C-alpha cells in the first residue's frame, strides 16, 4: 500500500508531517509518499532513523496555506503539494491521501480531481473518535453548511457503512442530531428528515442530543455541516479550556501539586478516554478516493493515527462499499 502524506500541511510543516509519516512507516510497514518541497522534506527525514523503511519523496513547487481561499487554489496553485498528492491517488500511483492542511482547499481539490462517487450528491467530512471508551462517528462536520434531506440520507448511509465496515462497529445505531430526543424537536430539516430516516435500512436510533457523543447510546450522529462543525469546535474548545484550567489549578499551591502528583496516572487515563485524536483525522466520504483530513496543529502521533485510518479505509475497500451501498439504498438514486 502507498499512502501520500501532504508534508506541507501542518502549521509547523514539514517537521510534524515527516515525523508522523516515519512513525506510520514503522508501525504499519507500508510505503509513505511525502509530497512537498524536496529539500525541506529531506532535511527533516535526515533527523530520523529510516533504515528499512519505505519512504519516498515527490517534489511539489508550491503549497496551500490556511489563508488561501478554496475556490482560488483550484487553478491558482496547480503545483501545490495538495494537488500533486491527490493527483497520485487519481492516477492509481497511491492508495490514499492524508493532509493536515486547509480543509476547504482539501475538499475543493478532492472534488475537482477525484470527483464524486457516482450517485453521491455531496461529499461529507466525517469526524471519528473514541470518547469515553465508545467509538463515535459524526457526519457531516463541515463540508456542507446548507443541506437537503436527500443529502442527510446519504450522509447517514455513508457514516453507517464506514462505522460498520471500516471501524468494525456491529449494526451501528444511527442518530439524527437535534435539540431534543422527541421526533417533534429540531429545525424544519431535522423534523422532515426524521420520518424519512425511519424508512431506511440502517438501525435508526431517533433524534439524539450533543451529550450522546459520550453516552454510548448511538454510534453514528448525522447532521448538517454547519451544526456539526460548531459542535466539533465547541468540543475542542471545551477540552482545551478544561486542560488549561486543570494545569493552572493543580499548580496553584503545594497541596494541589501533591494532589496532582497522586492523580497524574488517572488524569492521563481520563484524557485518553476523551481524546478524539486517537483516530487522527476526518475521512472525506463521497469522493472517488480515500482522503483523510487532520487538524493543522496535529502532532506526529496524530498524523500517524490519521495514516492508520487511511490504511484501514483502503483495506476495507470503502469506496466500493459506498458504491454498493448507493445501489441498494433509495438515497442514492438520481443526481442533485
Amino acid at each position: 500500500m502507498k499512502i501520500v502524506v501532504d508534508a506541507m500541511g501542518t502549521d509547523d510543516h514539514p517537521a510534524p508531517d515527516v515525523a508522523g509519516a516515519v512513525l506510520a512507516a514503522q508501525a504499519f510497514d507500508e510505503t509513505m509518499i511525502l509530497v512537498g518541497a524536496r529539500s525541506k522534506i529531506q532535511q527533516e527525514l535526515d533527523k530520523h532513523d529510516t533504515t528499512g523503511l519505505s519512504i519516498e519523496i515527490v517534489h511539489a513547487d508550491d503549497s496551500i496555506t490556511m489563508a488561501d481561499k478554496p475556490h482560488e487554489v483550484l487553478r491558482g496553485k496547480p503545483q501545490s503539494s495538495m494537488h500533486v498528492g491527490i493527483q497520485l491517488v487519481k492516477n492509481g500511483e497511491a492508495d490514499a491521501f492524508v493532509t493536515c492542511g486547509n480543509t476547504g482547499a482539501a475538499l475543493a481539490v478532492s472534488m475537482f480531481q477525484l470527483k464524486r462517487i457516482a450517485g453521491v450528491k455531496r461529499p461529507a467530512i466525517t469526524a471519528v473518535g473514541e470518547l469515553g471508551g465508545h467509538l463515535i462517528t459524526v457526519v457531516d462536520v463541515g463540508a456542507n453548511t446548507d443541506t437537503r434531506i436527500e443529502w442527510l440520507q446519504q450522509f447517514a448511509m455513508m457514516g453507517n457503512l464506514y462505522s460498520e465496515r471500516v471501524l468494525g462497529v456491529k449494526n451501528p445505531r444511527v442518530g439524527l442530531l437535534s435539540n431534543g430526543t422527541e421526533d417533534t424537536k429540531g429545525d424544519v430539516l431535522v423534523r422532515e428528515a426524521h420520518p424519512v430516516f425511519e424508512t431506511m435500512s440502517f438501525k435508526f436510533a431517533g433524534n439524539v442530543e450533543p451529550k450522546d457523543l459520550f453516552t454510548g447510546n448511538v454510534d453514528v450522529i448525522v447532521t448538517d455541516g454547519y451544526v456539526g462543525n460548531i459542535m466539533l469546535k465547541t468540543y475542542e474548545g471545551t477540552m482545551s479550556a478544561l486542560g488549561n484550567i486543570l494545569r493552572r489549578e493543580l499548580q496553584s499551591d503545594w497541596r494541589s501539586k501533591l494532589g496532582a502528583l497522586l492523580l497524574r496516572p488517572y488524569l492521563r487515563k481520563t484524557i485518553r478516554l476523551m481524546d478524539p485524536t486517537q483516530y487522527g483525522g476526518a475521512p472525506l466520504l463521497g469522493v472517488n478516493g480515500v482522503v483523510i483530513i487532520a487538524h493543522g496543529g496535529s502532532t506526529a502521533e496524530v498524523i500517524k493515527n490519521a495514516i492508520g485510518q487511511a490504511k484501514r479505509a483502503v483495506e476495507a475497500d470503502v469506496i466500493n462499499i459506498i458504491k454498493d451501498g448507493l445501489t441498494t439504498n433509495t438515497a442514492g438514486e438520481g443526481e442533485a
Side-chain angles (χ1 to χ4, degrees):
M1 189 185 300
K2 292 188 174 184
I3 299 175
V4 180
V5 179
D6 178 5
M8 315 307 286
T10 64
D11 300 336
D12 299 318
H13 64 267
D17 316 77
V18 171
V22 171
L23 288 176
Q26 293 169 339
F28 308 128
D29 194 27
E30 305 287 3
T31 297
M32 302 295 128
I33 304 177
L34 290 161
V35 181
R38 182 180 295 274
S39 60
K40 292 181 179 180
I41 295 172
Q42 189 61 61
Q43 185 178 7
E44 287 299 323
L45 268 180
D46 291 341
K47 299 176 182 178
H48 302 273
D49 181 6
T50 59
T51 304
L53 302 181
S54 181
I55 300 177
E56 304 172 7
I57 300 175
V58 173
H59 179 72
D61 291 325
D62 208 346
S63 61
I64 293 172
T65 70
M66 294 298 180
D68 286 329
K69 292 180 172 57
H71 67 277
E72 293 176 351
V73 303
L74 288 178
R75 293 182 173 83
K77 290 189 173 183
Q79 295 304 313
S80 74
S81 56
M82 201 174 284
H83 281 82
V84 173
I86 291 176
Q87 187 69 40
L88 291 172
V89 176
K90 178 183 178 181
N91 294 343
E93 299 173 63
D95 301 285
F97 176 76
V98 177
T99 183
C100 299
N102 185 315
T103 300
L107 173 61
V109 176
S110 297
M111 285 275 288
F112 181 71
Q113 294 207 45
L114 298 174
K115 311 300 183 186
R116 289 176 287 171
I117 293 173
V120 169
K121 300 175 187 302
R122 290 293 186 277
I125 299 174
T126 308
V128 176
E130 189 170 348
L131 302 177
H134 175 70
L135 197 57
I136 188 77
T137 300
V138 184
V139 54
D140 179 21
V141 293
N144 306 275
T145 54
D146 296 303
T147 306
R148 303 176 184 176
I149 292 176
E150 56 268 30
W151 302 357
L152 283 181
Q153 288 179 266
Q154 288 196 338
F155 298 167
M157 181 273 296
M158 292 190 293
N160 176 70
L161 289 172
Y162 196 89
S163 178
E164 182 175 39
R165 305 291 287 278
V166 179
L167 302 179
V169 178
K170 294 183 179 180
N171 197 18
R173 295 156 296 176
V174 180
L176 185 61
L177 186 63
S178 184
N179 62 334
T181 58
E182 302 89 346
D183 57 12
T184 55
K185 291 291 183 71
D187 58 14
V188 173
L189 179 66
V190 170
R191 292 198 304 272
E192 292 183 352
H194 191 281
V196 177
F197 273 41
E198 290 181 318
T199 68
M200 296 183 71
S201 59
F202 51 72
K203 186 176 181 180
F204 183 44
N207 285 355
V208 297
E209 299 176 2
K211 67 181 181 182
D212 288 300
L213 280 171
F214 315 100
T215 61
N217 294 329
V218 66
D219 305 297
V220 180
I221 295 178
V222 181
T223 183
D224 65 81
Y226 178 73
V227 174
N229 192 262
I230 289 176
M231 182 173 71
L232 181 65
K233 289 179 177 176
T234 300
Y235 176 76
E236 291 173 344
T238 301
M239 290 302 295
S240 177
L242 181 59
N244 291 334
I245 292 170
L246 283 173
R247 280 189 291 271
R248 184 179 69 243
E249 294 301 319
L250 291 175
Q251 295 295 319
S252 59
D253 55 39
W254 69 268
R255 293 182 182 85
S256 62
K257 290 179 181 179
L258 178 61
L261 185 63
L262 296 172
L263 289 172
R264 183 175 297 169
Y266 305 101
L267 288 172
R268 286 178 175 172
K269 181 179 179 181
T270 300
I271 290 170
R272 283 197 299 271
L273 287 172
M274 302 303 288
D275 182 9
T277 64
Q278 296 171 74
Y279 280 77
L284 179 58
L285 299 183
V287 295
N288 200 24
V290 174
V291 175
I292 306 292
I293 306 171
H295 198 280
S298 295
T299 63
E301 183 68 22
V302 172
I303 293 168
K304 184 206 80 173
N305 293 341
I307 294 168
Q309 187 167 176
K311 173 180 165 64
R312 289 191 295 273
V314 173
E315 289 174 338
D317 197 17
V318 67
I319 304 303
N320 283 322
I321 285 172
I322 292 174
K323 288 178 180 178
D324 292 343
L326 286 170
T327 63
T328 58
N329 195 302
T330 58
E333 295 178 356
E335 285 287 337

